[in-house]
Amino acid sequence: MNILLELFVVTFRVLWAFVLAAAKWLVRPKEKSVAGQVCLITGAGSGLGRLFALEFARRRALLVLWDINTQSNEETAGMVRHIYRELAEAAPKVAGDGEKDVLPHCSLQVYTYTCDVGKRENVYTTAERVRKEVGEVSVLVNNAGVVSGHHLLECPDELIERTMMVNCHAHFWTTKAFLPKMLEMNHGHIVTVASSLGLFSTAGVEDYCASKFGAVGFHESLSHELKAAEKDGIKTTLVCPYLVDTGMFRGCRIRKEIEPFLPPLKPEYCVKQAMRAILTDQPMICTPRLMYMVTFMKSILPFEAVVCLI
């Protein structure tokens, strides 16, 4: 009897999940506010990381930017400060005993840190500095990533290790650094910028696929752990874009027959879609939507059929 009851409960929950998902398709959820919250972005010096920083800045988040390249990181910070100045100038005035901005410019700040996320101790040391100098992080965007661009037998061992450390292991270190306070407050958001190549693989990028598969597995397991701990105030979003035209994948090609239908994504489009998912607490976003179908087909088709498609 208990088994039948448990089966009924599980079936009901599964069906209810479908209902809620359908409802979100019909009624677009309202975006949440991140104004004044501390948002940390790794790999913020260029590519998607820089665009994420600009999008969060436009939403008045307090930015903490990590990158191994100090100069490019400062360039991103300069762009963020420019957005902050525009927001301060556009803020309406409030009459009273001395006019003041509703959102004073001084409340919007950006902090930069040079950090190699592939090195565990560097992550922990920099995280401690952030806590002391800025405060507790509310939004963690694990975005930093590298691509070796070599076939397995042509790829030096050092590059393989580097890919795994930055694309996968770093997610463990940054999350361990900032999750405890999120758990204590039951508030926060962890974003994992993975890849469609973390859901299905292709030839010639073995280390990259392995690292992104690891990042996806880490994120999904973490999400299950938070759910089991009933920490519903901590949200997670997995971002799995197709190849993005940021220069990282220069020279990476897919099947010629498919390439006209799946050109590399514009980074601005990718980040816009990801931001929409993050701000509506969407658990996962694949860009473009065709990636959902590819992932599904990989699960049901014979291996040789998958080889023909990818």
Side-chain angles (χ1 to χ4, degrees), residues 46-261:
S46 61
L48 298 185
R50 173 172 289 179
L51 294 174
F52 273 118
L54 301 182
E55 288 294 330
F56 276 104
R58 293 185 182 103
R59 290 163 174 82
R60 296 179 170 83
L62 192 154
L63 271 297
V64 177
L65 309 180
W66 284 15
D67 201 279
I68 194 172
N69 188 319
T70 303
Q71 180 178 347
S72 61
N73 206 28
E74 290 296 338
E75 290 173 358
T76 301
M79 297 177 186
V80 169
R81 293 187 183 101
H82 178 71
I83 292 175
Y84 284 167
R85 284 194 294 270
E86 290 181 338
L87 291 174
E89 292 169 359
K93 301 291 185 176
V94 177
D97 299 332
E99 292 185 339
K100 63 178 181 179
D101 290 333
V102 172
L103 189 60
H105 174 57
C106 61
S107 68
L108 293 173
Q109 300 183 54
V110 55
Y111 300 82
T112 58
Y113 296 86
T114 302
C115 179
D116 183 352
V117 296
K119 297 180 178 179
R120 182 180 68 247
E121 292 306 321
N122 197 182
V123 170
Y124 289 155
T125 301
T126 310
E128 186 60 31
R129 286 183 57 199
V130 170
R131 281 191 290 268
K132 291 180 179 178
E133 298 171 8
V134 185
E136 296 297 338
V137 171
S138 297
V139 182
L140 172 62
V141 182
N142 281 315
N143 164 79
V146 295
V147 178
S148 68
H150 296 283
H151 291 270
L152 177 62
L153 298 183
E154 300 169 355
C155 187
D157 293 347
E158 295 77 13
L159 285 184
I160 294 175
E161 290 177 341
R162 180 69 180 162
T163 300
M164 295 302 298
M165 294 300 291
V166 174
N167 294 2
C168 181
H169 296 179
H171 294 232
F172 288 79
W173 318 143
T174 56
T175 303
K176 288 187 70 175
F178 298 111
L179 181 59
K181 193 63 178 182
M182 292 184 185
L183 290 171
E184 181 183 329
M185 303 297 294
N186 191 25
H187 173 75
H189 200 133
I190 297 174
V191 180
T192 299
V193 181
S195 170
S196 60
L197 294 182
L199 302 173
F200 58 86
S201 58
T202 189
V205 283
E206 290 86 353
D207 59 334
Y208 185 79
C209 287
S211 67
K212 290 302 185 179
F213 265 81
V216 170
F218 164 76
H219 180 94
E220 291 182 348
S221 181
L222 175 65
S223 300
H224 289 309
E225 184 174 326
L226 293 173
K227 189 71 173 178
E230 298 182 347
K231 295 295 182 179
D232 55 351
I234 304 175
K235 308 301 182 181
T236 60
T237 299
L238 176 63
V239 180
C240 291
Y242 176 63
L243 302 182
V244 184
D245 188 14
T246 59
M248 283 182 63
F249 297 97
R250 188 176 291 111
C252 181
R253 305 293 297 274
I254 61 173
R255 294 183 66 88
K256 292 186 294 184
E257 300 84 356
I258 301 177
E259 195 170 18
F261 303 99

